[in-house]
Amino acid sequence: MDWNSTPAEQAEPPMSRRSSLPLSSTIPASPNTVWVDATPLLQAACTDLLDGELIHGENFNLFAAMSALEIMDPKMDSGMICKYYSVDEAIEDGVGPVPISFDRTTDVQCTLDIMDHLLACEATWHKGHSLAQTVFSCIYLLRPERTVPSPILHSYCKIIRATCKAIVSVVSDARTHEEEDLFTMAYGLPLDGDGDEKSLSLLNAVEENLCRQLRACKAQSSRRKQDMEPLQSDIDMEEGYCKALLCRLRFRKHFFHVLACMRRPQGKGLELARKHIASSISELECIRKSADFLISTASGGCSIGIEDRTTASGRKPIGFDASLNSRVSAPAPPRSIKMLSWNKAIEYFEKLLRDLDFICSYSLDPSLEVLLRFVTQFQSSRPDLVARSHLQLLLVQEGRLYGRDPMFAVITRAAGLPETTKNHDIQRYESVMQLGQLVINMLKIVCTNTAWQRRKLGKSLQDWRVIYVQLELAFTNKFGEVLATSNDENGVARVVKQILIWLEEQAYWIAFRFLMLGFELELYSPSEFFMVYWYLYAVLVKLAEKTDSRMEITEITAAKRKGKKRKDSSKDVGRETRIPPAVRFLQCQIHLVEGLTLLQAALRNEMAALHSLTPFNSEQEVKVSIFSLTINHIFLQHFELLQKACIPEQITYHSFKESTSYARFSNIATPNCFQQAQKLAKELRSSFSNDHDRLAELRRLEQVAEHNSVAMNVICQLGAVEPNSLKVSFEFIHHPCYATAVVRRA
């Protein structure tokens, strides 16, 4: 409706007014809509409105103002940056011609450029950009029926659509897309095709035809060369073009098989997926090698830099318009997207395939402890969203571990209970079922990115605490004093006791992981390291204590089950003095963080070092911090979630302040905690001779302990005599979380 028209004009039928409109819109009017020129209204408003004012209705509020769009702002108004308002309009303008060219050589070259640019678009989409503005900026994907006359391009576009559909499905099912909401938004794009089988059969037919072309051009006999018409007019280039096309088609085929095999239930397709991963990596290498040939065929050479080109040849691809779908990208404004280069796209897919291969190499061990170590190692490579989604779907299927093990069986196995306990009646209690759901949530959390993982782990600690209290109260009320006695005929006390011990141990493992992730995210400033290490020391002590208790009870239970009887007290003492390697591994880290805490506390107390604020604090904030931003506030900021869950209990800022205030150069060198950590690391090598990951971690811990032991001796000797002659900094040279002291002359 024209806001400047009279009531009589507004009452006229729409059809009678359409011819009088001076405006010709690219979007056609319909019987129920009429396009009206609003320019006079806007001009009138501009003369009357002051800066900061806007036209709004009576129900307009602040929330609506935050969501309002600014007309004619390219960052907000999607219509401003659109060259074409529809796919048909772009096609009519010749953006996506079919055939691409009547010259067969040019047609093949342009087809290869389209394939390469789509690879770059797909990698850019995986990195968090909109599917509509990346992969589906290709007109050939938006109108797949137009590519039928070109079998190579048609088969490639079909498999691209099937791949996008598979990836959207896996990320949506894993529900990890909340990290980037735009990833799974399809905007009504044509993802559904003729089915996966038909796409693969078409691709196989095209591949087979290209193989015949390649064999024909390699043949020495001229008769065989004439059996098939070449792809393009330059016979000398035929082999190079055939190889370039084949490796790209084969990569798409194997990559799609990887995605399909990894979705098979209970990990039944992992072995086959590894074979396709190896083939995909091999084809990617062939794609990379084809760049030299394609650059040599580009007319005029490649003028675009290697970091900017999105095709192997360096030519600009045909049939793409990044702004074509910007108008369907609601509810978010259109984004300015910089495509990954062709080289970066290949590197991305190589890393993605390595991450997927690492997942497929996992033995699906039923032990929760082994599983968490595997996930921690997997996350150390910083995998992207697609790989993490596949891992989560492998771990949790239909509420079971790997789709086969009930969560109660996983819990009893982790708690060290006999295999027969998995059928115990207590699994029917509500608290136990809630514990199973908590384990499922934990497995999903550890598959998210580092930032989300840390935040969600910290928030989940209170749930673990609540479940512990509920379990303890539920079974105390149910069975009374049975839980407090050692002679329990029905086994309830033993089962509950071990589950509670494991539950506490798991809560402390989550707290440990929470603190360590803070180092990976660089959330702690150097002045806060000693505070974090002090808290980490308290968590590790409790974690080692609970782990030792669980393993001791497990050992006793296993001995009773085998009918062994303790014959004398000397054997009891021998058993008690044997500390399990897993506990000694934790003790090694305890000595290390204790040494770091004491060393940094002594530096703070005697040399006034480590008082620097975080780089996020401005000069004004530094002045304010003198009055308000105290160490107590920083302590609460970092450990608030742990404090709410009482992990550990009776740990407060005052206990931290009191325990670190006595650290001096004269009392931290004896005993040397770093030497104790170094000694333990060396002794533990034989215990983990078959565990390469633990051995690598032990080597890192040993290096940190060795260098810090030397640094502490230098600091204690020279610091007492010439405290101002030393400059000490802490850097993560040997380990991502345990710092190494670097001593220099001031």
Side-chain angles (χ1 to χ4, degrees):
M1 178 180 292
D2 188 346
W3 294 340
N4 288 329
S5 59
T6 63
E9 292 174 334
Q10 295 175 8
E12 293 179 11
M15 294 298 294
S16 64
R17 298 181 56 205
R18 186 179 305 172
S19 59
S20 63
L21 290 177
L23 203 62
S24 59
S25 172
T26 55
I27 303 179
S30 67
N32 298 323
T33 60
V34 176
W35 288 101
V36 179
D37 188 2
T39 303
L41 173 65
L42 297 177
Q43 290 176 343
C46 288
T47 58
D48 294 338
L49 292 176
L50 301 177
D51 290 341
E53 292 183 340
L54 51 83
I55 300 175
H56 61 84
E58 295 180 356
N59 59 344
F60 197 76
N61 51 32
L62 179 61
F63 178 79
M66 298 298 292
S67 305
L69 299 180
E70 185 176 346
I71 297 175
M72 303 184 74
D73 181 353
K75 293 182 179 180
M76 298 293 290
D77 189 349
S78 59
M80 284 297 297
I81 58 175
C82 288
K83 183 177 181 181
Y84 304 106
Y85 288 91
S86 67
V87 178
D88 295 330
E89 185 179 345
I91 292 173
E92 290 175 4
D93 199 35
V95 174
V98 177
I100 299 174
S101 173
F102 291 103
D103 181 82
R104 289 186 298 170
T105 302
T106 303
D107 189 86
V108 171
Q109 290 175 341
C110 292
T111 300
L112 286 165
D113 293 338
I114 292 169
M115 291 178 173
D116 289 342
H117 191 73
L118 278 173
L119 188 74
C121 288
E122 188 176 0
T124 306
W125 170 49
H126 287 193
K127 287 292 187 179
H129 287 288
S130 165
L131 178 64
Q133 292 183 265
T134 52
V135 179
F136 278 85
S137 63
C138 178
I139 290 180
Y140 297 110
L141 283 177
L142 293 169
R143 292 289 188 272
E145 66 279 357
R146 297 182 64 248
T147 59
V148 173
S150 177
I152 296 175
L153 182 60
H154 187 60
S155 63
Y156 194 86
C157 289
K158 274 186 169 295
I159 201 67
I160 282 280
R161 291 166 64 199
T163 302
C164 291
K165 180 182 177 182
I167 291 176
V168 168
S169 174
V170 72
V171 176
S172 299
D173 292 346
R175 297 191 178 183
T176 51
H177 61 280
E178 57 189 358
E179 301 170 14
E180 178 51 75
D181 292 337
L182 292 178
F183 190 92
T184 57
M185 299 182 81
Y187 307 104
L189 298 171
L191 286 177
D192 295 324
D194 299 326
D196 299 341
E197 293 298 328
K198 191 168 183 179
S199 299
L200 285 172
S201 62
L202 178 61
L203 186 66
N204 289 331
V206 173
E207 180 190 355
E208 184 179 348
N209 186 54
L210 282 173
C211 287
R212 288 198 298 268
Q213 294 274 12
L214 183 60
R215 287 193 299 268
C217 69
K218 285 182 176 181
Q220 298 297 324
S221 170
S222 59
R223 182 184 61 81
R224 292 190 60 186
K225 286 187 179 181
Q226 294 174 359
D227 288 344
M228 296 189 65
E229 185 180 0
L231 286 175
Q232 40 81 52
S233 55
D234 193 339
I235 301 299
D236 295 332
M237 299 292 184
E238 183 77 0
E239 182 177 348
Y241 283 124
C242 284
K243 288 181 177 180
L245 288 169
L246 271 174
C247 61
R248 284 159 174 78
L249 291 173
R250 285 170 175 168
F251 166 73
R252 299 306 328 183
K253 179 182 71 173
H254 289 299
F255 183 60
F256 182 78
H257 279 303
V258 169
L259 301 176
C261 291
M262 293 192 70
R263 288 303 304 270
R264 293 183 183 177
Q266 301 182 13
K268 294 179 180 178
L270 297 184
E271 185 177 352
L272 182 58
R274 295 198 74 180
K275 296 179 181 179
H276 286 294
I277 288 172
S279 299
S280 298
I281 293 175
S282 176
E283 296 302 335
L284 275 177
E285 185 60 30
C286 293
I287 293 174
R288 191 191 298 273
K289 290 179 180 178
S290 69
D292 293 335
F293 167 76
L294 295 176
I295 290 174
S296 67
T297 62
S299 58
C302 179
S303 59
I304 305 177
I306 191 171
E307 293 301 323
D308 296 322
R309 67 188 191 200
T310 60
T311 62
S313 64
R315 292 184 294 260
K316 185 178 179 180
I318 292 175
F320 290 85
D321 186 353
S323 66
L324 191 61
N325 292 316
S326 61
R327 302 180 77 248
V328 301
S329 297
R335 294 185 176 186
S336 177
I337 298 176
K338 179 176 175 56
M339 293 292 176
L340 291 180
S341 68
W342 181 74
N343 275 327
K344 292 291 184 183
I346 289 182
E347 290 174 3
Y348 166 79
F349 277 101
E350 286 176 339
K351 183 181 184 304
L352 172 61
L353 289 166
R354 287 195 299 270
D355 290 336
L356 294 177
D357 185 63
F358 187 80
I359 295 173
C360 295
S361 67
Y362 184 50
S363 61
L364 304 187
D365 195 300
S367 169
L368 187 62
E369 181 183 359
V370 174
L371 169 60
L372 291 176
R373 282 209 309 270
F374 170 80
V375 176
T376 302
Q377 183 187 359
F378 172 75
Q379 288 279 28
S380 64
S381 66
R382 297 294 179 91
D384 285 296
L385 176 62
V386 176
R388 288 186 280 104
S389 299
H390 276 95
L391 176 61
Q392 181 184 318
L393 290 183
L394 173 65
L395 300 184
V396 181
Q397 300 176 26
E398 298 180 352
R400 293 169 174 255
L401 183 64
Y402 315 127
R404 68 187 188 202
D405 299 333
M407 280 303 152
F408 184 71
V410 174
I411 293 170
T412 55
R413 190 182 298 113
L417 290 163
E419 189 68 20
T420 55
T421 315
K422 65 181 182 181
N423 298 319
H424 202 283
D425 291 339
I426 67 170
Q427 63 181 304
R428 298 188 180 93
Y429 287 90
E430 184 179 357
S431 300
V432 177
M433 289 189 288
Q434 290 177 353
L435 177 59
Q437 186 59 47
L438 207 56
V439 174
I440 291 175
N441 293 340
M442 179 187 67
L443 293 177
K444 292 181 177 181
I445 289 172
V446 295
C447 293
T448 58
N449 66 37
T450 307
W452 277 70
Q453 184 182 162
R454 184 178 187 272
R455 183 170 68 175
K456 290 189 174 184
L457 284 177
K459 290 183 176 181
S460 71
L461 280 171
Q462 292 187 63
D463 298 330
W464 285 86
R465 181 67 178 179
V466 169
I467 287 294
Y468 178 86
V469 174
Q470 287 179 349
L471 275 173
E472 193 175 36
L473 289 176
F475 288 102
T476 300
N477 296 334
K478 181 72 175 178
F479 299 101
E481 297 180 355
V482 175
L483 297 179
T485 62
S486 58
N487 298 322
D488 179 23
E489 296 297 333
N490 59 10
V492 174
R494 174 174 54 83
V495 173
V496 174
K497 183 178 181 181
Q498 286 191 238
I499 289 178
L500 289 175
I501 291 174
W502 168 81
L503 202 156
E504 281 192 290
E505 178 191 356
Q506 198 60 48
Y508 282 112
W509 179 88
I510 293 174
F512 169 72
R513 179 74 176 156
F514 172 83
L515 293 173
M516 297 294 272
L517 287 174
F519 286 105
E520 294 185 24
L521 293 168
E522 300 181 1
L523 299 180
Y524 314 127
S525 70
S527 62
E528 300 163 1
F529 284 171
F530 79 105
M531 179 190 299
V532 179
Y533 286 133
W534 178 86
Y535 210 105
L536 192 58
Y537 170 81
V539 170
L540 279 169
V541 168
K542 299 295 289 185
L543 178 59
E545 175 188 321
K546 300 302 177 184
T547 303
D548 189 46
S549 299
R550 173 181 59 81
M551 299 184 83
E552 181 181 351
I553 294 176
T554 302
E555 184 181 347
I556 295 173
T557 304
K560 288 182 178 180
R561 192 167 60 252
K562 292 179 180 180
K564 295 181 179 180
K565 296 183 179 180
R566 292 177 290 179
K567 296 181 179 180
D568 51 62
S569 58
S570 61
K571 291 186 178 180
D572 293 346
V573 175
R575 179 185 59 78
E576 291 173 2
T577 55
R578 288 196 306 270
I579 303 176
V583 178
R584 298 184 70 202
F585 182 78
L586 292 172
Q587 288 178 342
C588 177
Q589 297 179 75
I590 289 171
H591 290 307
L592 192 58
V593 295
E594 183 182 10
L596 285 167
T597 302
L598 293 174
L599 177 58
Q600 296 185 25
L603 286 169
R604 185 196 63 165
N605 295 336
E606 295 214 27
M607 296 177 59
L610 303 174
H611 278 302
S612 62
L613 293 172
T614 68
F616 303 105
N617 290 331
S618 63
E619 183 177 349
Q620 181 64 28
E621 289 173 327
V622 171
K623 296 178 181 178
V624 175
S625 68
I626 299 175
F627 304 98
S628 60
L629 189 58
T630 63
I631 299 295
N632 189 5
H633 289 99
I634 298 175
F635 185 91
L636 293 176
Q637 178 184 0
H638 285 311
F639 312 123
E640 181 181 10
L641 294 174
L642 303 181
Q643 294 276 290
K644 287 181 178 179
C646 300
I647 296 179
E649 293 181 341
Q650 299 178 349
I651 293 294
T652 62
Y653 168 73
H654 298 290
S655 59
F656 156 73
K657 185 177 180 181
E658 183 179 356
S659 61
T660 57
S661 61
Y662 300 106
R664 297 292 186 274
F665 293 146
S666 58
N667 59 24
I668 65 170
T670 306
N672 192 324
C673 298
F674 295 122
Q675 289 181 355
Q676 293 176 342
Q678 186 179 357
K679 179 183 176 182
L680 265 176
K682 290 180 178 179
E683 293 175 353
L684 282 169
R685 289 178 184 174
S686 59
S687 302
F688 298 107
S689 57
N690 297 325
D691 192 337
H692 300 294
D693 299 328
R694 284 288 183 93
L695 283 176
E697 180 69 6
L698 283 171
R699 283 193 292 269
R700 288 191 290 266
L701 295 177
E702 185 180 347
Q703 287 177 319
V704 174
E706 181 181 1
H707 284 79
N708 282 337
S709 179
V710 175
M712 187 170 69
N713 290 333
V714 173
I715 293 171
C716 291
Q717 291 174 10
L718 297 181
V721 181
E722 303 176 24
N724 296 325
S725 65
L726 299 179
K727 183 179 180 181
V728 184
S729 61
F730 288 87
E731 302 173 7
F732 299 101
I733 302 172
H734 305 293
H735 196 280
C737 301
Y738 298 125
T740 301
V742 179
V743 185
R744 299 183 179 91
R745 284 283 184 180

